[in-house]
Amino acid sequence: MDPKPSIVVDNLVKRFGKFVAVNRVSFQIRSGEIFGLLGPNGSGKSTTIRMLCGLLTPTSGSATVVGFDIARQAEEVRRHIGYMSQKFSLYDDLTAVENLEFFGGLYGVTGDALTKGIAWALGMSGLAGNEQALTREFSGGWKQRLALGCAVLHRPRVLFLDEPTAGVDPLSRRQFWDLIHQMSREGITILVTTHYMDEAEYCNRLALIESGRIVEMGTPGEIKRLAIHGNLLLIEAAPLGDALAAVKRAPGVTDASVFGAALHVVVGDQQSERELPAFLAARGIRVDRIEPIAPSLEDAFVSLTGEKPAGDADS
Amino acid sequence: MNLRRTAAIGRKELIQIRRDPRSLLIAVVLPLIQILLLGYGARLDADHIPVYILDQEGSQNSQALLKGFQASPYFDVVKVARNYPELVRAIDADRCKLGIVIPWDFSERLGDGRPVSVQALLDGTDNNSAQLAEGYATAVVDSYANRIQLDWFSRHGLSQQATVPVSVDYRTWFNEDLESKNFIIPGTVALVMALMGALLSSLTIAREWERGTMEQLIASPVTPLEIMIGKLAPYLIIGLLDAISCAAFAVGWFGVPFRGGLGAFFFTTTLFLIVILGIGYMISVATRSQLGASQYALLVTLMPTAMLSGFAFPIDQMPVAIRVVSYVVYSRYYVSALKRIFLGGAGINDLIPEIIAMAIYAAVIAFFATRAFRKQIE
């Protein structure tokens, strides 16, 4: 790994009473890397990011952000990071420019740097021409990009994004990720939490987190290879419930779950794969379609944790 | 403390006040309503007290006494009753607060030089008004009695010089007309400051929590002290502006004298506002809810200021236990200072005890307020 990682997290633990929200989490993030924390709601993603931003004190363990200890040098950390919390916490009774000026003031951005920063943020967010409108009048996508502009106005070395695309339309999400990649190319380290599987694919590296623990870590490709042992088949069959029960008992099948109106089934060997249609037909199940597919992160997640990542019907 | 960050917070707060109708109402409209209501409504004077008079004699003498009541600015003689039951019914039906009965042998007794009593029936439901009415009625009768006495003496050839009864000549200082308006209105400035300051400051931190903007603030390098100063400074300025407009209203509209120093006025008002804003701020930090915070803030600022500061209810007329409690009510020192500045012409040098008491309060509140807010979301 990078000799000087931007973020080092070592056995971080956070307890709320008896509830362990984050359980011995460790990872390192290189400079300029986009690192994703992927997991369902309540899995400990936000708690982890809040500890790294100095909003919460860890129960035990340690972490450094750009070399500063999050517990002992919280103010140093805060100077070098940008943070975008879950609800794009802008002041909705301020205009776009007033929000930018306010955050500029908080981070000591002045004069030319402020003027340029504001012009850049307005251009980037597509708000040029609407800079005097109150923030409450903006759509989700505009608010999100304005919040991003506020978070990076002071050119932070690390950017923390907590569920940055929740409640934003697909086109805006796409534009947002283009911006994130651009910032990553400029050397900004980005830690992002999400429960959207498709978004996780945009990350350089991922940690899958469940019930406060990291269950797998690596590039999206690595995670899929690690999680899926064998071939992944898509099966459309009726009745679906009977098909799932039957396929789980079929020889060579290591994993099976429902995805939408179809089944995703992992089969360990070629022989079993060929015999599967006959096996199902013999049990009175009508098979409409059976074909190999490339595994998605969602497949990997389900395979690793046995559950769906979140109630994200809109993803 | 970083001035630029503090200024950024202050500027943002001012913009938000300007755009929030509720805050504007509290900062601008409420103080004016308060001073108007209290100036007109909370007067403790009794004037134009409705009176029924039963003149059982109907002589020239009794008519002269009746005229004494008619001439008094404190009384309105509503009716001359025909008989006693009518008078009683009028008091029962609240058509008058005072009934005067002039007996049938009024002139006869006067002529004989015998003592004569005039009966006064008072509606005691409003104890304060009843006492005032009694006092005024006694004054009217006394002045009539004096005149009669002088007449009698002169008719009997006795020199006036020797016979004028000795009387105490009172002279009241500071509020020469003994008008309760002058007594009450300076204190209302304290009430206005308490209401405005407590409401606005109690909302300020809670609003950030409720709108979800607090996390963003905590994640920035801004310090708790900068947040506090940045957020409260605008309210201090608004408070001082409100104090000026209240004083101007008191003098210009209600004719209350302002004889003291402006320096003393601003200094004591600033100390009082520091206490009020500090309390509101700490409550806002503790409750994190705008509704809850404003309720608590009113309870610990407006209530004691209205009841125990001596603003309208004189402290030296309270029971001993309450009087002792009033010493810890910070508003009493400000109300006392206000009255002495408006009416007594006091300057800073005359208000050392009040200023010391308020400065101690301000220092203690500021000490705890700066430590109240921690940059943590738990």
Side-chain angles (χ1 to χ4, degrees):
Chain A
M1 174 133 321
D2 191 327
K4 271 201 161 182
S6 187
I7 298 176
V8 180
V9 177
D10 185 22
N11 269 315
L12 212 53
V13 175
K14 181 67 193 179
R15 281 198 196 90
F16 296 106
K18 285 193 170 161
F19 174 67
V20 185
V22 174
N23 194 355
R24 298 173 72 81
V25 162
S26 302
F27 56 82
Q28 299 195 353
I29 308 178
R30 289 186 300 273
S31 290
E33 192 174 26
I34 303 176
F35 188 87
L37 282 176
L38 176 65
N41 293 330
S43 59
K45 311 182 299 279
S46 292
T47 306
T48 304
I49 222 170
R50 284 168 166 174
M51 283 192 281
L52 294 178
C53 293
L55 299 172
L56 291 171
T57 312
T59 308
S60 67
S62 65
T64 60
V65 175
V66 291
F68 297 109
D69 187 285
I70 57 160
R72 283 178 287 115
Q73 297 165 294
E75 288 309 317
E76 286 298 324
V77 171
R78 290 191 179 110
R79 244 184 281 282
H80 291 100
I81 63 167
Y83 171 61
M84 199 174 133
S85 65
Q86 274 179 12
K87 286 172 289 176
F88 337 134
S89 327
L90 298 163
Y91 293 93
D92 62 7
D93 46 357
L94 263 54
T95 66
V97 168
E98 284 163 352
N99 265 299
L100 287 162
E101 284 171 347
F102 173 65
F103 284 100
L106 283 193
Y107 287 93
V109 184
T110 53
D112 211 29
L114 184 64
T115 317
K116 279 186 181 153
I118 289 176
W120 170 83
L122 289 173
M124 171 274 282
S125 54
L127 283 170
N130 283 309
E131 55 266 59
Q132 298 303 336
L134 292 185
T135 304
R136 71 164 72 97
E137 289 158 19
F138 297 152
S139 72
W142 273 353
K143 279 188 192 172
Q144 173 206 39
R145 290 192 295 273
L146 180 59
L148 180 67
C150 289
V152 300
L153 204 60
H154 60 294
R155 310 248 117 220
R157 288 163 65 190
V158 177
L159 183 57
F160 291 100
L161 305 169
D162 193 6
E163 303 272 352
T165 55
V168 172
D169 65 274
L171 181 65
S172 294
R173 278 165 64 186
R174 180 69 239 185
Q175 290 174 333
F176 185 78
W177 276 98
D178 287 343
L179 289 166
I180 297 300
H181 278 279
Q182 192 184 318
M183 288 174 191
S184 158
R185 280 194 296 277
E186 289 168 18
I188 299 179
T189 308
I190 292 148
L191 174 58
V192 56
T193 71
T194 184
H195 61 254
Y196 293 128
M197 292 295 161
D198 55 336
E199 278 188 3
E201 304 266 6
Y202 297 133
C203 297
N204 301 131
R205 270 192 323 130
L206 284 174
L208 259 55
I209 187 164
E210 198 213 20
S211 306
R213 287 172 182 279
I214 290 182
V215 289
E216 199 60 77
M217 192 152 52
T219 66
E222 282 168 0
I223 286 180
K224 287 179 238 175
R225 275 197 301 281
L226 284 166
I228 311 287
H229 306 282
N231 294 338
L232 184 68
L233 301 177
L234 174 117
I235 299 174
E236 284 179 13
L240 199 63
D242 294 348
L244 180 66
V247 84
K248 277 184 169 169
R249 290 195 302 271
V253 170
T254 55
D255 206 354
S257 48
V258 178
F259 275 66
L263 300 178
H264 284 197
V265 178
V266 182
V267 188
D269 57 293
Q270 298 289 325
Q271 176 74 19
S272 307
E273 190 182 328
R274 277 193 300 274
E275 289 167 0
L276 196 56
F279 179 85
L280 291 174
R283 278 152 187 82
I285 290 154
R286 195 186 80 231
V287 176
D288 297 324
R289 187 168 145 211
I290 185 162
E291 62 183 42
I293 53 166
S296 69
L297 272 173
E298 194 162 1
D299 292 306
F301 196 93
V302 172
S303 170
L304 284 165
T305 67
E307 62 179 275
K308 295 263 178 183
D312 50 343
D314 55 336
S315 77
Chain B
M1 200 176 90
N2 179 310
L3 278 180
R4 193 169 286 137
R5 289 199 294 253
T6 314
I9 300 260
R11 237 189 95 214
K12 185 218 79 177
E13 204 72 13
L14 272 178
I15 296 174
Q16 288 187 308
I17 299 166
R18 217 178 58 213
R19 299 219 175 109
D20 176 24
R22 190 175 49 166
S23 294
L24 277 183
L25 202 73
I26 297 170
V28 182
V29 182
L30 207 57
L32 293 180
I33 292 178
Q34 253 183 304
I35 198 133
L36 276 176
L37 280 181
L38 291 167
Y40 279 117
R43 296 179 61 183
L44 299 179
D45 293 323
D47 53 2
H48 300 287
I49 301 164
V51 186
Y52 265 55
I53 291 180
L54 175 59
D55 183 359
Q56 289 179 325
E57 191 185 54
S59 70
Q60 209 176 347
N61 285 325
S62 64
Q63 286 292 313
L65 178 59
L66 200 151
K67 284 206 174 68
F69 278 94
Q70 281 169 333
S72 162
Y74 301 113
F75 296 111
D76 275 343
V77 177
V78 181
K79 201 175 173 192
V80 178
R82 280 185 307 271
N83 50 42
Y84 200 77
E86 188 188 353
L87 185 80
V88 173
R89 275 199 306 275
I91 290 183
D92 284 346
D94 201 26
R95 284 194 293 271
C96 68
K97 294 284 179 196
L98 172 70
I100 295 287
V101 182
I102 305 174
W104 58 272
D105 55 356
F106 187 70
S107 301
E108 193 190 314
R109 278 170 168 269
L110 280 177
D112 297 351
R114 281 185 291 157
V116 57
S117 293
V118 172
Q119 188 184 15
L121 298 169
L122 283 159
D123 175 357
T125 40
D126 179 352
N127 175 40
N128 182 52
S129 300
Q131 275 180 15
L132 287 168
E134 185 191 345
Y136 295 143
T138 308
V140 170
V141 174
D142 278 354
S143 100
Y144 176 76
N146 276 341
R147 238 177 20 247
I148 304 259
Q149 215 173 5
L150 290 176
D151 271 2
W152 191 87
F153 281 129
S154 61
R155 263 189 281 122
H156 288 75
L158 295 163
S159 88
Q160 268 199 9
Q161 196 72 22
T163 57
V164 173
V166 177
S167 69
V168 180
D169 189 9
Y170 290 100
R171 176 154 177 233
T172 313
W173 279 15
F174 306 140
N175 187 6
E176 290 85 348
D177 310 326
L178 270 183
E179 280 195 71
S180 65
K181 157 189 105 178
N182 287 356
F183 170 71
I184 290 176
I185 289 177
T188 59
V189 178
L191 221 56
V192 170
M193 294 296 105
L195 182 67
M196 182 285 308
L199 274 180
L200 289 180
S201 61
S202 67
L203 300 178
T204 182
I205 293 288
R207 186 169 48 219
E208 303 270 354
W209 284 114
E210 278 184 8
R211 293 188 186 171
T213 46
M214 186 51 96
E215 273 193 38
Q216 213 72 51
L217 270 188
I218 294 176
S220 83
V222 71
T223 66
L225 184 67
E226 289 158 4
I227 292 180
M228 187 184 88
I229 304 276
K231 277 181 163 290
L232 295 186
Y235 298 123
L236 184 65
I237 294 166
I238 292 172
L240 287 173
L241 290 175
D242 279 341
I244 296 173
S245 38
C246 283
F249 230 87
V251 174
W253 188 264
F254 288 112
V256 177
F258 188 100
R259 301 181 176 123
L262 272 177
F265 180 64
F266 284 121
F267 190 59
T268 51
T269 302
T270 304
L271 284 176
F272 185 67
L273 278 170
I274 289 173
V275 175
I276 293 286
L277 296 177
I279 290 175
Y281 172 82
M282 284 192 282
I283 290 172
S284 196
V285 167
T287 60
R288 294 191 183 185
S289 117
Q290 295 191 75
L291 186 63
S294 57
Q295 306 269 311
Y296 283 120
L298 290 184
L299 203 65
V300 298
T301 58
L302 190 66
M303 288 290 281
T305 303
M307 308 307 293
L308 297 174
S309 70
F311 127 80
F313 316 110
I315 291 173
D316 52 18
Q317 288 172 24
M318 293 174 182
V320 180
I322 305 284
R323 232 181 299 160
V324 170
V325 171
S326 82
Y327 279 99
V328 298
V329 176
Y330 49 88
S331 340
R332 78 166 278 169
Y333 303 102
Y334 182 50
V335 167
S336 158
L338 282 172
K339 286 181 177 172
R340 294 186 53 201
I341 292 167
F342 272 84
L343 305 177
I348 288 180
N349 292 337
D350 308 311
L351 298 168
I352 299 296
E354 282 92 347
I355 286 175
I356 288 175
M358 289 168 74
I360 290 172
Y361 258 105
V364 170
I365 296 285
F367 175 84
F368 286 110
T370 50
R371 277 153 187 78
F373 181 61
R374 287 175 61 239
K375 283 182 78 182
Q376 290 276 306
I377 60 173
E378 283 166 275

